[in-house]
Amino acid sequence: SETGKEDELQELILVNGGIIDELSEEELRDYMEEKELQRPEDSFENTVDIYTEKELCKSLIHALTDVQGEKLFFGADEDTINRDVCRALSTKGYHAEGQVSAGKGKGGKNAGELDILIKDDDGLPWAIIEGIKLGYLDRNNLQDHIGKIVDPNRYNPFGCRYGNLLIYYMTSSKATSDTFASFCSRFRDYLNNYNYNQIHLTDLAEGEKRNLESYTISGKIESEIGDIILHFYVYHIQNS
């Protein structure tokens, strides 16, 4: 509806802070029109089961590629990008919810918060998605976000089998493809040596190299609630 579009436009204006200074309201409206898709019930046929590991990976890659090419998200904070990824997944037909209270927070006193939780057609938690903005290999930040996905005592009390970490790599505008490749190499080494409460990543496998500014890799963690499949998506997004 027109009211719905106005609400989404206002949300974009509110959440993007300083970035909005570079975009006119007309440019924002153009962005919204380009993003406008048919609602899930109208655009999706029952011939495609989107609730598979493969289909979710494809949907995330499409959402991140769109973010990568939009000026609106150059230099944006991770919450802003997470909101757009959540919106993109919803238009694909997923029951995607953003900023969901779950489990216990880092201190253990307050409820934790997941960036995006996907529920299946029965309304049950199916996959967790966390987004993080990095300009360098911040091991503590990475461990915290991966821990949120795999630790049943913190943010994953549901025992979701599928976890996805989206890394928004942003550096100065002078960063080159070589700089990004170096970051991805160090990130791969970090995963190879990953250790969280004596839990290690196994079966690491790099995904298809689609372009010079993106990198995907997946692995498996054997936790006390069973195997958790982890997918990592690293996308180089301009910082300004």
Side-chain angles (χ1 to χ4, degrees), residues 49-240:
D49 181 7
I50 59 173
Y51 284 95
T52 66
E53 180 185 356
K54 179 179 179 181
E55 287 301 317
L56 178 58
C57 289
K58 287 168 57 177
S59 296
L60 285 171
I61 287 172
H62 280 291
L64 290 168
T65 302
D66 285 347
V67 165
Q68 195 177 44
E70 286 289 351
K71 178 182 177 183
L72 180 66
F73 300 108
F74 294 176
D77 60 73
E78 61 191 53
D79 287 342
T80 298
I81 300 177
N82 290 340
R83 287 188 185 96
D84 194 74
V85 170
C86 188
R87 183 186 294 110
L89 293 174
S90 294
T91 63
K92 287 283 188 180
Y94 293 97
H95 304 294
E97 299 178 7
Q99 303 296 305
V100 177
S101 294
K104 296 183 294 186
K106 194 170 184 179
K109 295 182 179 180
N110 300 316
E113 190 173 78
L114 297 172
D115 289 335
I116 302 173
L117 178 66
I118 295 183
K119 295 182 178 180
D120 62 20
D121 286 332
D122 294 321
L124 299 175
W126 181 71
I128 291 173
I129 301 171
E130 283 291 307
I132 178 174
K133 176 180 176 179
L134 294 178
Y136 64 96
L137 194 70
D138 185 344
R139 290 174 172 80
N140 290 332
N141 209 352
L142 281 167
Q143 179 159 307
D144 184 53
H145 277 74
I146 297 175
K148 289 171 68 173
I149 296 172
V150 304
D151 191 345
N153 298 313
R154 289 189 59 196
Y155 298 80
N156 189 7
F158 318 109
C160 288
R161 188 183 176 203
Y162 299 112
N164 304 268
L165 181 63
L166 318 181
I167 298 175
Y168 317 128
Y169 177 71
M170 296 190 198
T171 59
S172 69
S173 58
K174 296 180 180 179
T176 66
S177 294
D178 288 340
T179 307
F180 179 69
S182 176
F183 174 84
C184 293
S185 177
R186 285 181 281 117
F187 177 62
R188 182 180 62 246
D189 291 341
Y190 167 80
L191 294 180
N192 275 320
N193 297 294
Y194 180 77
N195 182 356
Y196 178 83
N197 292 341
Q198 303 303 311
I199 295 175
H200 302 273
L201 271 165
T202 61
D203 299 341
L204 283 173
E206 295 179 314
E208 177 185 353
K209 188 68 175 175
R210 295 175 178 269
N211 60 60
L212 294 176
E213 306 301 331
S214 68
Y215 175 77
T216 60
I217 187 170
S218 61
K220 179 179 72 174
I221 280 183
E222 297 177 2
S223 75
E224 60 187 79
I225 59 175
D227 291 350
I228 297 178
I229 308 300
L230 290 173
H231 288 273
F232 303 92
Y233 309 77
V234 188
Y235 272 70
H236 188 186
I237 299 172
Q238 292 188 43
N239 201 24
S240 61

